[in-house]
Amino acid sequence: MTSQESQPPQQNRGRSLDAHLNRYAARTAGMTASEIRALFAVASRPEVVSLAGGMPNLSALPMDSLATEVARLVAEDGQVAFQYGSAQGVPELREQITEVMALEGIRAHPDDVVVTVGSQMALDTVTRIFCDPGDVVLAEAPSYVGALGSFSAYQAEVVHVAMDDDGLIPDALRAALEAVHSAGKRVKFLYTIPNFHNPAGVTMAVERRAEVLEICARHNVLVLEDNPYGLLGFDDQTYPALRSMDEENVVYLGSFSKTFAPGLRVGWALAPHAVREKLVLASESATLCPPTFNQLLVSRYLATHDWQGQVKTYREVYSERRDAMLSALEQYMPPGCTWTKPDGGFYVWLTVPEGVDTKAMLPRAVTQRVAYVSGTAFHGDGFGSRQMRLSFCYPTPERIHEGVRRLGTVLRDELELLATFGNVAQRPQLGSESPSPDTA
Amino acid sequence: MTSQESQPPQQNRGRSLDAHLNRYAARTAGMTASEIRALFAVASRPEVVSLAGGMPNLSALPMDSLATEVARLVAEDGQVAFQYGSAQGVPELREQITEVMALEGIRAHPDDVVVTVGSQMALDTVTRIFCDPGDVVLAEAPSYVGALGSFSAYQAEVVHVAMDDDGLIPDALRAALEAVHSAGKRVKFLYTIPNFHNPAGVTMAVERRAEVLEICARHNVLVLEDNPYGLLGFDDQTYPALRSMDEENVVYLGSFSKTFAPGLRVGWALAPHAVREKLVLASESATLCPPTFNQLLVSRYLATHDWQGQVKTYREVYSERRDAMLSALEQYMPPGCTWTKPDGGFYVWLTVPEGVDTKAMLPRAVTQRVAYVSGTAFHGDGFGSRQMRLSFCYPTPERIHEGVRRLGTVLRDELELLATFGNVAQRPQLGSESPSPDTA
């Protein structure tokens, strides 16, 4: 035994709840459970109408024919399907992915596609290769909560850029770039969801797209285009992808989670060639390779099923639910509320009257058996407390109607309290009326 | 248009091969293709006997019954299997994983298990939550190339610790800890593969295990135990996991890649409770959730198949191949070579005579239609040029015999050249005898 060993340990392991507390990396301090995650337990109770989750509605998937397909995959190609594959992904699937992207005007080579474990992994990997701590990422206000999580995990700073009903506002983008540059900070990329935005439900106007690309190119800022919902336009309309207008300065993210099935976790990134090489290396470090089995199943599904017919079915499913939500909102929302009218995707963005705090109100809503996600979850800067995201993807139209009715009641109660007592959110206790659900 | 916009861009996008070069994060500079990865293209040519890859041999998998099982999963449980799941993984699988770990003496609660996309993702995620740039990770010399890749991706510094035929040497571990502490650096964890080591083929002696744990605990250094091969002992022997001897200071990594199938990418981490919480958050940021489909398939496989019988079959397959390799090495290696005699797993570690550089020799070996991985791939510090990893997992015994025979010829030629001309590796050109394969 050396003399050093007989001395007390250099650091005190302590008796705190987490004995490993002083061992974590700096980035780990920023890892906290998202508001959406904390909601999962509550939202899954059958008596609660959840307008909170983003789970696709899979009731229309042809399970019998998928069962046959997957059995055939194992029997015919099991030795390949169950084996390691390349970090970049199965070549035949990457070829098919270029055909999927062609529907939105993208011309791409399979060599520039990287298959990932859902597009979340693509988001995470892009952030990993580009962002040093303190780098700035521009994102719409509001923005996708999973993206904000990845940006935070790599200690990037998010600067939000305002939207209106036509999506990201070019003048706001210019102003944000100027402000960040003036502060001496480095912007790594603009993260944008141009189509049927999560959570805002709006779509970037076509005439704005070239302008946004031009502003970013001029400021030497990469564009990270996240497009999981692009084929889910209710008027059967698709919009030209930003990537279709700029091959050099856009990294494009796609996913089969909304057009096929999220439980397979198959997404992808399309990147300029040099960036693609870095993405593959980062992906290899993250998972060695995406699951071969899942990639071959998606490939067979695309080849043997009428997958575009299935997407059309999904559009009809979601369109009917969007209609149910919009008509219920008209019927039940108190005066002073406004909301977006999505032409596709999963989400409506609701703004409530001044004084109501959607995050503080959530426990009371859950008591009334309706759940949503507070707008604060979609901001990296604490804003969004007058907003909430309502998702119409999963429940039946009848449940959506009932959920919005309950929400209307909660809001009217809240406004009444507010008129009587002032800002309810500031009151620490309301006695026995104050519930303590899991989400509080 | 603002005045700033009309000015030239702040950074020059340049005309280099990679227009994005000045945009990458600092960590990206360390991302380079591993030597193993570069070998894949060559090793897959049919005329080359590859002793390089680490692909499990899946020929004994019961494909027909798996086809039936997976079809049943889709038909009976498709709505769950194709849907998002929790970031931590499917509860029933986590329960079963605790039963798998019990075979090596581990008592654990399913709450402390995190399912990951292969154990590579667990490795990456553990590194993510613990390592700041410049932190030190201790690892055996040599160590698993995928682990070194993750450590490098998070800018951790690897300090290697010597092994002998009984695995990691406790005195070397003490000396390494002292040296690192003296240098004022912070050690985050010891990364170790105690059983049937990749690439060294050795196993940590049971009597050393408590000592290694005690040294680490005393120095306040976490132990990261990576155990993909633990059930693949050719004498049907298992060893007590480090985790079975220390619940508080060990993070344990397991995998179904070698006991079932790697193409499903299902692995796991078992961690002290507080660390587990951080791992789940980091996993969520990385992929949202592991593929539900794959988890349910593994769960059904464990429940309905004689999975331990299958592991026994795998042991027989690999044991036969290990025998083929060891007898061929006896027969064909020139004097001065030594090698490990693994009791399990996939790999033999070969040391060649002084003066031979295995990395420089590789192109000549491939010309002679045999491939291996140079020992340098398994070191973060440039060592290993007198070693190589030979894998016996995938080829038939006949091919292994032939591969080792060819390797013997290559080595004898190399030694002859060395005796005649001095160090061959230093010679820039050998004229038409010098091949230029993809791996060069």
Side-chain angles (χ1 to χ4, degrees), chain A residues 313-431:
Chain A
T313 303
Y314 278 139
R315 282 197 294 262
E316 289 160 5
V317 165
Y318 297 129
S319 173
E320 184 191 5
R321 284 159 170 78
R322 184 268 322 255
D323 292 345
M325 179 164 279
L326 290 183
S327 72
L329 285 166
E330 283 293 344
Q331 192 173 347
Y332 296 115
M333 284 303 104
C337 291
T338 58
W339 54 89
T340 55
K341 278 101 186 158
D343 296 319
F346 285 10
Y347 305 107
V348 165
W349 185 244
L350 174 71
T351 301
V352 298
E354 183 87 41
V356 176
D357 181 326
T358 57
K359 189 172 177 180
M361 188 179 77
L362 184 55
R364 296 183 279 279
V366 171
T367 307
Q368 299 293 320
R369 293 166 296 133
V370 60
Y372 57 82
V373 185
S374 163
T376 51
F378 307 98
H379 291 78
D381 54 10
F383 284 86
S385 62
R386 262 189 71 196
Q387 279 82 29
M388 65 176 70
R389 186 187 76 177
L390 300 175
S391 60
F392 52 80
C393 45
Y394 195 76
T396 60
E398 295 69 32
R399 294 270 290 174
I400 290 171
H401 185 97
E402 174 59 17
V404 172
R405 192 192 63 75
R406 292 174 187 171
L407 182 63
T409 306
V410 175
L411 274 169
R412 282 172 203 281
D413 289 354
E414 196 79 2
L415 289 166
E416 205 170 295
L417 273 173
L418 194 62
T420 315
F421 296 108
N423 193 334
V424 182
Q426 307 297 322
R427 304 172 76 86
Q429 270 294 356
L430 286 173

Side-chain angles (χ1 to χ4, degrees), chain A residues 11 36 92 99 115 124 128 161 172 175 179 184 191 201 298 306 362 408:
Chain A
Q11 290 173 286
I36 287 185
E92 56 262 43
E99 292 160 18
V115 180
D124 193 84
R128 179 192 292 221
V161 182
Y191 170 71
V298 172
D306 175 18
L362 184 55

Side-chain angles (χ1 to χ4, degrees), chain B residues 59-82:
Chain B
S59 57
L61 270 184
M63 291 299 174
D64 287 348
S65 111
L66 283 169
T68 306
E69 194 63 54
V70 72
R72 206 175 279 153
L73 167 61
V74 172
E76 292 172 1
D77 215 8
Q79 289 295 326
V80 175
F82 285 132

Side-chain angles (χ1 to χ4, degrees), chain B residues 29 33 117 127 201 238 248 250 259 430:
Chain B
V117 181
T127 312
T238 56
E248 281 308 312
V250 177
T259 53
L430 285 173

Side-chain angles (χ1 to χ4, degrees), chain A residues 61-75:
Chain A
L61 271 184
M63 292 299 174
D64 287 347
S65 111
L66 283 169
T68 306
E69 194 63 54
V70 73
R72 205 176 281 155
L73 166 61
V74 173

Side-chain angles (χ1 to χ4, degrees), chain B residues 161-438:
Chain B
V161 182
M163 290 195 285
D164 59 20
D165 283 347
D166 287 327
L168 190 74
I169 302 169
D171 279 339
L173 176 60
R174 286 190 191 93
L177 282 164
E178 284 183 34
V180 174
H181 285 158
S182 300
K185 291 181 178 172
R186 191 164 66 152
V187 179
K188 281 304 176 68
F189 51 79
L190 166 69
Y191 170 72
T192 177
I193 306 164
N195 301 319
F196 320 124
H197 191 275
N198 174 8
V202 300
T203 293
M204 192 190 292
V206 173
E207 57 274 18
R208 282 190 183 176
R209 297 186 181 215
E211 192 177 357
V212 165
L213 288 167
E214 192 266 340
I215 295 168
C216 288
R218 184 177 285 269
H219 284 81
N220 190 27
V221 167
L222 188 74
V223 176
L224 180 56
E225 176 180 26
D226 191 6
N227 188 31
Y229 308 103
L231 297 180
L232 294 179
F234 301 147
D235 308 322
D236 295 1
Q237 190 187 348
T238 56
Y239 297 87
L242 297 172
R243 170 55 174 75
S244 74
M245 308 161 80
D246 183 343
E247 295 194 7
E248 281 308 312
N249 204 39
V250 177
V251 173
Y252 175 95
L253 308 186
S255 172
F256 290 107
S257 290
K258 277 79 187 185
T259 53
F260 181 21
L264 295 173
R265 312 303 301 116
V266 181
W268 71 88
L270 169 69
H273 198 77
V275 175
R276 186 277 282 166
E277 289 181 0
K278 300 292 185 190
L279 284 180
V280 171
L281 291 170
S283 291
E284 193 172 36
S285 163
T287 66
L288 285 188
C289 63
T292 320
F293 187 67
N294 306 236
Q295 295 178 76
L296 291 182
L297 178 56
V298 172
S299 178
R300 280 177 174 247
Y301 171 76
L302 295 174
T304 63
H305 282 66
D306 175 17
W307 75 269
Q308 295 198 52
Q310 177 66 37
V311 173
K312 192 171 163 54
T313 303
Y314 278 138
R315 282 197 294 263
E316 290 161 5
V317 165
Y318 297 129
S319 174
E320 184 192 4
R321 283 160 171 76
R322 184 267 324 254
D323 292 345
M325 179 166 280
L326 290 183
S327 72
L329 285 167
E330 283 293 345
Q331 191 173 347
Y332 296 116
M333 285 302 104
C337 291
T338 58
W339 54 90
T340 55
K341 277 105 187 154
D343 295 319
F346 285 9
Y347 306 107
V348 165
W349 185 245
L350 175 71
T351 300
V352 297
E354 182 85 41
V356 175
D357 181 326
T358 57
K359 189 172 176 181
M361 188 180 76
L362 184 55
R364 295 184 280 279
V366 172
T367 306
Q368 299 294 320
R369 292 166 298 134
V370 59
Y372 57 82
V373 185
S374 163
T376 51
F378 307 98
H379 291 77
D381 53 11
F383 284 87
S385 62
R386 259 189 71 196
Q387 278 81 30
M388 66 176 71
R389 187 187 76 177
L390 300 176
S391 59
F392 52 79
C393 45
Y394 195 76
T396 60
E398 295 69 32
R399 294 268 290 175
I400 289 171
H401 185 97
E402 174 59 17
V404 173
R405 192 192 64 75
R406 292 175 187 172
L407 182 63
T409 305
V410 175
L411 273 169
R412 283 172 202 281
D413 289 353
E414 196 79 2
L415 288 166
E416 203 170 296
L417 272 174
L418 195 62
T420 316
F421 296 107
N423 192 334
V424 181
Q426 307 296 325
R427 303 175 75 86
Q429 267 294 357
L430 285 173
S432 60
E433 290 168 287
S434 175
S436 300
D438 298 357

